[in-house]
Amino acid sequence: MRFSAFSLARNALRSLDTWTPHWRDAAPKPAYDVVVVGGGGHGLATAYYLAREFGVANVAVLEKGWIGGGNVGRNTTIVRSNYMLPGNVPFYELSMKLWERLEQDINYNAMVSQRGVLNLYHSDAQRDAYARRGNAMRLHGVDAELLDREGVRRLAPFLDFDNARFPVQGGLLQRRGGTVRHDAVAWGYARAADARGVDIVQNCEVTGFLREGDAVVGVETTRGPIRAGKVGLAAAGHSSRVAALAGLRLPIESHVLQAFVSEGLKPLIDGVVTFGAGHFYVSQSDKGGLVFGGDIDGYNSYAQRGNLPVIEDVMECGMALWPGLGRLRLLRHWGGVMDMSMDGSPIIDATPLEGLYLNAGWCYGGFKATPASGLCFAHLIARDAPHPAAAAYRLDRFASGRVIDEKGQGAQPNLH
C-alpha cells in the first residue's frame, strides 16, 4: 500500500481497519545473494539501497530481536552534518541530503524536522575552533553561521546568559540540522526494503559463520544455517561480539550512552542546543517532552541501561546551561550500546575474510549517518569498492596511521 492523501482518507472512512502490516515477517530461506546482520537503521537502509540502487533484491536482514528494538530506537533523534575534517564532511553532508528527501524516497512520514542545531561556545578559544569548523563546512558547501551572544539570545532566550558558571559567548548554527523520528526511520526503511523483495527476518540471532577456507559463505543462526554470496555486518554496539564469531578482533570498545525524556511541555525550544562547556544536548519532541543526553558511561558494557553517576553528570551539565530544567520531572531514560572507535569515526570496509564486510564504530554519530551509511555500505557490498564519500573509513587506518580524529563527535572515545 502506498501512502497518500487518498489512501489516508479511504482508510479513515473505513474505520482504519484496512491497514496492512508494513512489512512481511519473513522466514529465512536457505540461501541469499546478500545477508545483512543487524536490523537497525543501518542494516535496513543497506538492504533498501542494495535493492533500489544496485538491483540486488535477494537479500535478507537478520535481526536478533525485533525491528526498532536496538540502537535505532535508543538515541536522541538528532541529525546534522557540522563536521570539519575532509574524511567526514562529505559523508555526513551526503547523509543530510538523503535525509532531506527520505520521506519522498521511501513514501513514509519519518517526521524530518530541520529546525537547526546550535553548538554554544563559552571562550575565545572555543569561538576560534567553531569558526574553523564553520569555514571548513562552508568550503564543502555545508551551511554554517557563527553567532555572537545576542544572536544566540534571540534563538534561545531561556538559557542562562547572566549568571552562568560558563557564560554563553555565541554559537555555531547549522540551520539544516534538526531531528528525525528514530523508530519511524526503522519502520520506513523496513517497509521500503520489503516492498523491493528484501526478507526481514526477526528473532534470528547470528551464532557463527559458515566458512570455506578464508571465505565467509553464510551464517549460523538460531533459526538454522543460511548461505550467502556476501555477508554484511551492521550490528551497531555488538559489532565486536559478532565479528569475534568470525575470528576478527576490531579496534572498538563498547560503552553505554544514556538518553532522557522529561514530562510534556508547551512548545519551548525550537531547535537543538548543545552545551559547549560540558557534554549536553537538548531538543523538544513533538509530544512536548525535552529530549536530552550527555557523555557515555566510562566503563565497557553491553547492558542497555545506564548508571547513576552519569545521570548525575548529565543533570549537572543541563542545570549549568539551563537552570529551569531543575523544575521538570523526568519521565524515562534508556541506554544504547555504542561502538566507540579510537578516532571517533566509523568503519565501512571489507574485512580480511573474503565475502565479509564491516559497518561499525559509529560512536555518537550512528543515527545521523543512517542514510549515507546504508548507501555507502550497499555500494561497497555490491561493487566491492568503497563509495567515494566513505573512502576514508578504512579498517586498516589504525595500523597505517591514517586516522580521522574528528572533534565533532562528542567526548573522545580514546579517553575511556
Side-chain angles (χ1 to χ4, degrees):
M1 177 180 294
R2 182 169 180 80
F3 291 120
S4 66
F6 175 74
S7 68
L8 291 173
R10 182 183 60 190
N11 281 279
L13 293 173
R14 295 181 180 179
S15 303
L16 302 178
D17 59 359
T18 56
W19 292 115
T20 56
H22 284 198
W23 63 85
R24 297 168 293 121
D25 189 14
K29 295 189 295 190
Y32 292 90
D33 292 338
V34 177
V35 163
V36 178
V37 181
H42 292 216
L44 293 167
T46 300
Y48 169 69
Y49 290 115
L50 274 170
R52 197 193 78 166
E53 298 292 328
F54 304 101
V56 185
N58 186 23
V59 177
V61 177
L62 308 183
E63 168 55 42
K64 71 174 182 179
W66 63 92
I67 298 302
N71 275 10
V72 71
R74 295 172 174 272
N75 56 73
T76 49
T77 75
I78 299 170
V79 299
R80 57 183 173 86
S81 59
N82 57 352
Y83 283 70
M84 185 175 74
L85 298 183
N88 279 334
V89 180
F91 175 82
Y92 284 98
E93 179 58 11
L94 170 63
S95 200
M96 182 60 70
K97 290 177 178 174
L98 291 172
W99 282 123
E100 289 172 329
R101 63 173 189 262
L102 177 70
E103 292 168 320
Q104 291 73 31
D105 284 349
I106 63 175
N107 181 231
Y108 202 85
N109 181 13
M111 301 173 72
V112 177
S113 177
Q114 292 179 277
R115 42 186 164 157
V117 173
L118 176 63
N119 300 117
L120 301 177
Y121 61 80
H122 309 266
S123 67
D124 291 347
Q126 199 170 32
R127 177 202 58 209
D128 293 346
Y130 279 176
R132 285 195 294 274
R133 193 198 298 190
N135 288 336
M137 292 165 60
R138 284 189 286 269
L139 285 171
H140 285 85
V142 183
D143 65 306
E145 300 174 41
L146 192 67
L147 304 181
D148 60 12
R149 176 187 170 96
E150 293 310 309
V152 171
R153 192 193 294 271
R154 286 192 290 273
L155 288 177
F158 46 83
L159 299 179
D160 187 356
F161 287 90
D162 301 319
N163 301 298
R165 180 181 178 188
F166 304 100
V168 175
Q169 294 190 9
L172 180 64
L173 173 66
Q174 184 186 20
R175 293 189 185 273
R176 291 168 56 240
T179 58
V180 181
R181 171 80 185 227
H182 49 186
D183 41 15
V185 173
W187 301 333
Y189 270 125
R191 175 175 173 275
D194 173 82
R196 291 180 177 273
V198 172
D199 279 355
I200 298 170
V201 185
Q202 301 178 98
N203 299 305
C204 183
E205 182 174 1
V206 170
T207 58
F209 288 86
L210 302 175
R211 299 273 296 268
E212 290 181 358
D214 289 333
V216 169
V217 295
V219 291
E220 296 277 5
T221 78
T222 52
R223 299 179 68 173
I226 303 173
R227 295 187 66 86
K230 296 178 178 179
V231 177
L233 302 185
H238 294 271
S239 299
S240 295
R241 299 176 75 176
V242 178
L245 298 174
L248 298 177
R249 184 182 179 190
L250 302 183
I252 283 172
E253 290 185 357
S254 296
H255 293 257
V256 175
L257 177 63
Q258 299 183 60
F260 307 82
V261 174
S262 77
E263 61 183 320
L265 304 169
K266 291 182 178 179
L268 180 61
I269 172 172
D270 187 40
V272 180
V273 178
T274 75
F275 180 36
H279 194 197
F280 179 82
Y281 39 92
V282 60
S283 64
Q284 188 167 17
S285 75
D286 292 292
K287 292 190 291 186
L290 297 186
V291 183
F292 52 93
D295 205 352
I296 55 175
D297 282 15
Y299 56 86
N300 297 22
S301 175
Y302 291 106
Q304 289 182 317
R305 60 181 183 274
N307 63 13
L308 289 175
V310 170
I311 294 175
E312 183 178 14
D313 178 68
V314 173
M315 300 307 165
E316 287 177 348
C317 286
M319 289 287 289
L321 174 69
W322 186 356
L325 289 177
R327 301 182 65 182
L328 298 180
R329 286 175 291 188
L330 187 66
L331 289 190
R332 63 186 184 275
H333 77 108
W334 62 88
V337 183
M338 302 291 108
D339 271 358
M340 305 301 291
S341 66
M342 292 303 101
D343 64 354
S345 297
I347 302 164
I348 301 178
D349 201 1
T351 73
L353 298 175
E354 182 183 345
L356 184 62
Y357 303 82
L358 178 65
N359 177 326
W362 289 97
C363 301
Y364 294 85
F367 180 69
K368 68 180 71 65
T370 300
S373 167
L375 178 62
C376 294
F377 199 36
H379 184 285
L380 174 69
I381 293 172
R383 297 185 176 176
D384 276 313
H387 189 283
Y393 297 152
R394 295 173 58 90
L395 176 59
D396 67 355
R397 68 177 186 269
F398 304 97
S400 65
R402 292 173 292 181
V403 295
I404 312 168
D405 194 10
E406 175 70 67
K407 299 298 183 186
Q409 86 282 10
Q412 286 181 265
N414 56 7
L415 297 182
H416 295 279

